[in-house]
């Protein structure tokens, strides 16, 4: 039995983009992928507009809290996806790194967060396809 792939989503505050990406990956992969998220400078709470936008698509993020980025989280992940944290994310050879350029939802209302949410969902679906081969 092979172990399941693991993904770490990183943004500065771990309050919007990385939380939405982690929630989508957790939901859409149905447990087939280990999911982490973190921030280089975590906020006090998850962006309420991001929580509301995700609730609109049936995903509850209301209990999530921003987490600090640790070297261990990066080491323990197969794929590290950054979203605007730049050089603050540690680099380890042999990991797959992707930088997703996405608008920051900080300070925006839910109407502005919806298109960001939808772009994240599209990218997460492609990520799942790349990590889990389609069943025969």
């Amino acid at each position: 039995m092979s172990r399941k792939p693991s993904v770490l989503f990183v943004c500065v505050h771990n309050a919007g983009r990385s939380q939405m990406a982690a929630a989508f990956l957790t939901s859409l992969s149905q447990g087939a992928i280990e999911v982490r998220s973190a921030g280089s400078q975590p906020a006090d709470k998850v962006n309420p507009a991001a929580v509301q936008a995700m609730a609109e698509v049936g995903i509850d993020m209301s209990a999530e809290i921003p987490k600090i980025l640790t070297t261990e989280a990066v080491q323990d992940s197969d794929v590290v996806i950054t979203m605007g944290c730049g050089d603050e994310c540690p680099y380890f050879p042999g990991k797959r790194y992707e930088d997703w350029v996405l608008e920051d939802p900080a300070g925006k209302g839910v109407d502005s967060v919806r298109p960001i949410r939808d772009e994240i969902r599209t990218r997460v679906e492609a990520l799942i396809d790349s990590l889990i081969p389609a069943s025969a």
Side-chain angles (χ1 to χ4, degrees), residues 96-118:
R96 173 176 153 191
Y97 286 85
E98 292 183 22
D99 185 44
W100 290 1
V101 179
L102 296 160
E103 189 176 347
D104 188 348
K108 295 183 173 31
V110 71
D111 288 341
S112 299
V113 173
R114 285 184 192 111
I116 301 167
R117 172 202 65 200
D118 295 344

Side-chain angles (χ1 to χ4, degrees), residues 6-125:
S6 58
V7 175
L8 169 64
F9 294 102
V10 183
C11 66
V12 176
H13 300 297
N14 189 223
R17 295 167 291 187
S18 57
Q19 289 282 357
M20 289 189 286
F24 270 130
L25 185 56
T26 299
S27 174
L28 297 173
S29 73
Q30 300 176 340
I33 298 172
E34 187 177 335
V35 183
R36 300 178 179 88
S37 73
S40 52
Q41 300 168 24
D44 294 330
K45 63 180 182 172
V46 175
N47 179 337
V51 172
Q52 182 181 346
M54 293 300 285
E56 291 175 355
V57 295
I59 297 175
D60 181 7
M61 293 192 337
S62 62
E64 295 300 324
I65 54 168
K67 295 166 278 307
I68 186 75
L69 175 64
T70 64
T71 300
E72 293 78 21
V74 178
Q75 285 177 314
D76 293 344
S77 300
D78 300 310
V79 180
V80 179
I81 296 177
T82 57
M83 303 171 179
C85 71
D87 296 333
E88 295 187 48
C89 187
Y91 177 82
F92 291 97
K95 303 275 177 216
R96 173 176 153 191
Y97 286 85
E98 292 183 22
D99 185 44
W100 290 1
V101 179
L102 296 160
E103 189 176 347
D104 188 348
K108 295 183 173 31
V110 71
D111 288 341
S112 299
V113 173
R114 285 184 192 111
I116 301 167
R117 172 202 65 200
D118 295 344
E119 172 68 16
I120 290 170
R121 181 183 188 127
T122 299
R123 290 177 185 228
V124 166
E125 288 169 343

